[in-house]
mmCIF file of all heavy atoms in Angstrom:
data_model
loop_
_atom_site.group_PDB
_atom_site.id
_atom_site.type_symbol
_atom_site.label_atom_id
_atom_site.label_comp_id
_atom_site.label_asym_id
_atom_site.label_seq_id
_atom_site.Cartn_x
_atom_site.Cartn_y
_atom_site.Cartn_z
ATOM 1 N N GLY A 261 -16.752 -16.905 -4.979
ATOM 2 C CA GLY A 261 -16.590 -16.899 -3.470
ATOM 3 C C GLY A 261 -15.286 -16.275 -3.003
ATOM 4 O O GLY A 261 -14.842 -15.297 -3.666
ATOM 5 N N HIS A 262 -14.558 -16.777 -2.002
ATOM 6 C CA HIS A 262 -13.454 -16.240 -1.478
ATOM 7 C C HIS A 262 -12.402 -17.207 -1.257
ATOM 8 O O HIS A 262 -11.114 -16.712 -1.322
ATOM 9 C CB HIS A 262 -13.795 -15.373 -0.324
ATOM 10 C CG HIS A 262 -14.420 -14.160 -0.597
ATOM 11 N ND1 HIS A 262 -15.657 -13.995 -1.147
ATOM 12 C CD2 HIS A 262 -13.855 -12.854 -0.754
ATOM 13 C CE1 HIS A 262 -15.951 -12.747 -1.407
ATOM 14 N NE2 HIS A 262 -14.919 -12.091 -1.201
ATOM 15 N N CYS A 297 -15.191 -12.640 -8.644
ATOM 16 C CA CYS A 297 -14.829 -12.195 -7.364
ATOM 17 C C CYS A 297 -13.470 -12.633 -6.792
ATOM 18 O O CYS A 297 -12.561 -12.893 -7.552
ATOM 19 C CB CYS A 297 -15.990 -12.429 -6.465
ATOM 20 S SG CYS A 297 -17.471 -11.352 -6.852
ATOM 21 N N CYS A 298 -13.442 -12.960 -5.429
ATOM 22 C CA CYS A 298 -12.331 -13.097 -4.805
ATOM 23 C C CYS A 298 -11.598 -14.494 -4.914
ATOM 24 O O CYS A 298 -10.446 -14.802 -5.019
ATOM 25 C CB CYS A 298 -12.235 -12.688 -3.311
ATOM 26 S SG CYS A 298 -11.966 -10.831 -3.310
ATOM 27 N N HIS A 315 -18.094 -8.401 -8.890
ATOM 28 C CA HIS A 315 -19.266 -8.689 -8.214
ATOM 29 C C HIS A 315 -20.533 -8.492 -9.175
ATOM 30 O O HIS A 315 -21.522 -9.225 -9.194
ATOM 31 C CB HIS A 315 -19.382 -7.540 -7.093
ATOM 32 C CG HIS A 315 -20.676 -7.740 -6.237
ATOM 33 N ND1 HIS A 315 -21.098 -8.894 -5.689
ATOM 34 C CD2 HIS A 315 -21.613 -6.793 -5.769
ATOM 35 C CE1 HIS A 315 -22.256 -8.605 -4.982
ATOM 36 N NE2 HIS A 315 -22.389 -7.409 -5.079
ATOM 37 N N GLN A 335 -19.412 -15.993 0.666
ATOM 38 C CA GLN A 335 -19.277 -14.595 0.785
ATOM 39 C C GLN A 335 -19.401 -14.048 -0.754
ATOM 40 O O GLN A 335 -18.827 -14.479 -1.625
ATOM 41 C CB GLN A 335 -17.973 -14.116 1.273
ATOM 42 C CG GLN A 335 -17.762 -14.574 2.749
ATOM 43 C CD GLN A 335 -16.332 -14.219 3.076
ATOM 44 O OE1 GLN A 335 -15.588 -13.492 2.623
ATOM 45 N NE2 GLN A 335 -16.003 -14.934 4.291
ATOM 46 N N CYS A 336 -20.317 -12.956 -0.791
ATOM 47 C CA CYS A 336 -20.640 -12.147 -1.886
ATOM 48 C C CYS A 336 -21.261 -12.953 -3.104
ATOM 49 O O CYS A 336 -21.127 -12.527 -4.206
ATOM 50 C CB CYS A 336 -19.340 -11.472 -2.440
ATOM 51 S SG CYS A 336 -18.543 -10.402 -1.190
ATOM 52 N N GLY A 443 -12.082 -3.386 -2.926
ATOM 53 C CA GLY A 443 -13.414 -3.646 -2.833
ATOM 54 C C GLY A 443 -14.329 -3.676 -4.032
ATOM 55 O O GLY A 443 -13.842 -4.169 -4.936
ATOM 56 N N CYS A 444 -15.458 -3.510 -3.937
ATOM 57 C CA CYS A 444 -16.725 -4.075 -4.581
ATOM 58 C C CYS A 444 -17.179 -3.272 -5.762
ATOM 59 O O CYS A 444 -16.772 -2.181 -6.097
ATOM 60 C CB CYS A 444 -17.767 -4.147 -3.518
ATOM 61 S SG CYS A 444 -17.188 -4.647 -1.882
ATOM 62 N N ASN A 445 -18.478 -3.842 -6.170
ATOM 63 C CA ASN A 445 -19.391 -3.009 -7.007
ATOM 64 C C ASN A 445 -20.475 -2.814 -6.135
ATOM 65 O O ASN A 445 -20.863 -3.706 -5.246
ATOM 66 C CB ASN A 445 -19.881 -3.684 -8.219
ATOM 67 C CG ASN A 445 -18.716 -3.988 -9.284
ATOM 68 O OD1 ASN A 445 -18.687 -5.069 -9.921
ATOM 69 N ND2 ASN A 445 -17.928 -2.859 -9.528
ATOM 70 N N GLY A 473 -9.412 -7.178 -4.530
ATOM 71 C CA GLY A 473 -10.859 -7.533 -4.594
ATOM 72 C C GLY A 473 -11.391 -7.256 -5.971
ATOM 73 O O GLY A 473 -10.835 -7.464 -6.961
ATOM 74 N N CYS A 474 -12.655 -6.657 -5.971
ATOM 75 C CA CYS A 474 -13.356 -6.579 -7.225
ATOM 76 C C CYS A 474 -12.826 -5.525 -8.150
ATOM 77 O O CYS A 474 -13.135 -5.328 -9.278
ATOM 78 C CB CYS A 474 -14.927 -6.390 -7.059
ATOM 79 S SG CYS A 474 -15.498 -7.956 -6.554
ATOM 80 N N VAL A 475 -11.980 -4.568 -7.457
ATOM 81 C CA VAL A 475 -11.389 -3.497 -8.199
ATOM 82 C C VAL A 475 -10.447 -4.049 -9.204
ATOM 83 O O VAL A 475 -10.242 -3.532 -10.366
ATOM 84 C CB VAL A 475 -10.542 -2.532 -7.304
ATOM 85 C CG1 VAL A 475 -9.961 -1.480 -8.152
ATOM 86 C CG2 VAL A 475 -11.589 -1.836 -6.337
ATOM 87 N N SER A 514 -6.929 -10.865 -3.471
ATOM 88 C CA SER A 514 -8.165 -10.759 -3.084
ATOM 89 C C SER A 514 -8.471 -9.738 -1.963
ATOM 90 O O SER A 514 -7.535 -9.043 -1.524
ATOM 91 C CB SER A 514 -8.522 -12.188 -2.496
ATOM 92 O OG SER A 514 -7.856 -12.435 -1.408
ATOM 93 N N CYS A 515 -9.595 -9.952 -1.352
ATOM 94 C CA CYS A 515 -9.916 -8.926 -0.208
ATOM 95 C C CYS A 515 -9.190 -9.365 1.026
ATOM 96 O O CYS A 515 -8.643 -8.395 1.832
ATOM 97 C CB CYS A 515 -11.381 -8.851 0.090
ATOM 98 S SG CYS A 515 -12.211 -8.049 -1.247
ATOM 99 N N TYR A 549 -19.808 -2.228 -0.848
ATOM 100 C CA TYR A 549 -21.067 -2.570 -0.461
ATOM 101 C C TYR A 549 -21.071 -3.269 0.854
ATOM 102 O O TYR A 549 -22.102 -3.384 1.711
ATOM 103 C CB TYR A 549 -21.842 -3.365 -1.574
ATOM 104 C CG TYR A 549 -21.766 -4.836 -1.340
ATOM 105 C CD1 TYR A 549 -22.636 -5.672 -0.474
ATOM 106 C CD2 TYR A 549 -20.765 -5.558 -2.012
ATOM 107 C CE1 TYR A 549 -22.452 -6.920 -0.305
ATOM 108 C CE2 TYR A 549 -20.501 -6.825 -1.887
ATOM 109 C CZ TYR A 549 -21.392 -7.595 -0.998
ATOM 110 O OH TYR A 549 -21.243 -8.902 -0.746
ATOM 111 N N SER A 550 -20.018 -4.131 1.183
ATOM 112 C CA SER A 550 -20.094 -5.258 2.262
ATOM 113 C C SER A 550 -19.702 -4.750 3.587
ATOM 114 O O SER A 550 -18.980 -3.898 3.862
ATOM 115 C CB SER A 550 -19.414 -6.510 1.700
ATOM 116 O OG SER A 550 -18.020 -6.310 1.925
ATOM 117 N N LYS A 552 -17.638 -6.577 5.145
ATOM 118 C CA LYS A 552 -16.191 -6.879 5.047
ATOM 119 C C LYS A 552 -15.342 -5.597 4.591
ATOM 120 O O LYS A 552 -14.413 -5.308 5.127
ATOM 121 C CB LYS A 552 -15.854 -8.020 4.160
ATOM 122 C CG LYS A 552 -16.383 -9.402 4.558
ATOM 123 C CD LYS A 552 -16.161 -10.410 3.581
ATOM 124 C CE LYS A 552 -16.978 -10.229 2.242
ATOM 125 N NZ LYS A 552 -16.610 -11.040 1.247
ATOM 126 N N ALA A 553 -16.029 -4.862 3.638
ATOM 127 C CA ALA A 553 -15.294 -3.749 3.242
ATOM 128 C C ALA A 553 -15.281 -2.580 4.235
ATOM 129 O O ALA A 553 -14.349 -1.847 4.298
ATOM 130 C CB ALA A 553 -16.083 -3.041 1.968
HETATM 131 FE FE1 XCC B 1 -16.588 -6.753 -2.391
HETATM 132 FE FE2 XCC B 1 -14.310 -7.948 -1.531
HETATM 133 FE FE3 XCC B 1 -17.180 -9.187 -2.328
HETATM 134 FE FE4 XCC B 1 -15.914 -8.193 -4.333
HETATM 135 S S1 XCC B 1 -15.735 -10.276 -3.662
HETATM 136 S S2 XCC B 1 -17.974 -7.696 -3.756
HETATM 137 S S3 XCC B 1 -16.581 -7.872 -0.640
HETATM 138 S S4 XCC B 1 -14.687 -6.836 -3.221
HETATM 139 NI NI1 XCC B 1 -13.772 -10.007 -2.219
#
Side-chain angles (χ1 to χ4, degrees):
H262 281 77
C297 287
C298 279
H315 183 51
Q335 300 167 18
C336 299
C444 327
N445 292 142
C474 284
V475 175
S514 64
C515 294
Y549 90 88
S550 75
K552 294 176 293 169

